[in-house]
Amino acid sequence: QVQLVESGGGLVQAGGSLRLSCAASGNIFSINAMGWFRQAPGKQRELVARITSGGRTNNADSVKGRFTISRDNAKNTEYLQMNSLKPEDTAVYYCNCNVRSPGYGLGYVDYWGQGTQVTVSS
């Protein structure tokens, strides 16, 4: 009933930039928070950045100063601007959205995007 559509991944050289986007649609009462996670082969999925409905942000130490998360509340869309990319940033990036769902009595429910591949060459 809720879908997240991601875009913006690709292949870049170290030092390059990419901008990811994630648009949420469907049966949403309100969005509590949105975020980006990433997962490399053989590794645990890890938090990259998170932003609340009020605009408060959290960022992983590994990306501070390089990545910036933002959102457009009117469009239910979040963005991740990635600058100064490093090979260790290579991973599948997943959009996450925590929403209040009418289908669950306005309870909080997590949804995930399909993932977008980011590959950074050295």
Side-chain angles (χ1 to χ4, degrees), residues 77-108:
T77 300
E78 69 166 349
Y79 307 91
L80 185 68
Q81 180 66 47
M82 304 185 293
N83 298 323
S84 301
L85 283 162
K86 303 175 181 179
E88 51 262 44
D89 295 319
T90 296
V92 177
Y93 284 70
Y94 295 93
C95 176
N96 170 261
C97 185
N98 183 256
V99 309
R100 299 191 71 182
S101 173
Y104 294 89
L106 299 184
Y108 290 100

Side-chain angles (χ1 to χ4, degrees), residues 12 26 29 37 40 44 53 57 78-79 85 91-92 100 122:
V12 299
F29 179 78
F37 291 72
Q44 291 266 68
S53 60
T57 61
E78 69 166 349
Y79 307 91
L85 283 162
V92 177
R100 299 191 71 182
S122 59

Side-chain angles (χ1 to χ4, degrees), residues 67-78:
F67 292 8
T68 302
I69 188 170
S70 62
R71 67 185 297 173
D72 185 335
N73 290 338
K75 297 180 179 179
N76 287 340
T77 300
E78 69 166 349

Side-chain angles (χ1 to χ4, degrees), residues 30-49:
S30 64
I31 296 177
N32 178 49
M34 302 184 77
W36 291 96
F37 291 72
R38 67 186 181 187
Q39 187 168 23
K43 297 186 66 177
Q44 291 266 68
R45 187 172 298 186
E46 64 177 351
L47 174 68
V48 177

Side-chain angles (χ1 to χ4, degrees), residues 52-70:
T52 70
S53 60
R56 291 180 285 109
T57 61
N58 293 312
N59 299 284
D61 289 341
S62 60
V63 306
K64 286 182 178 178
R66 300 188 298 119
F67 292 8
T68 302
I69 188 170
S70 62

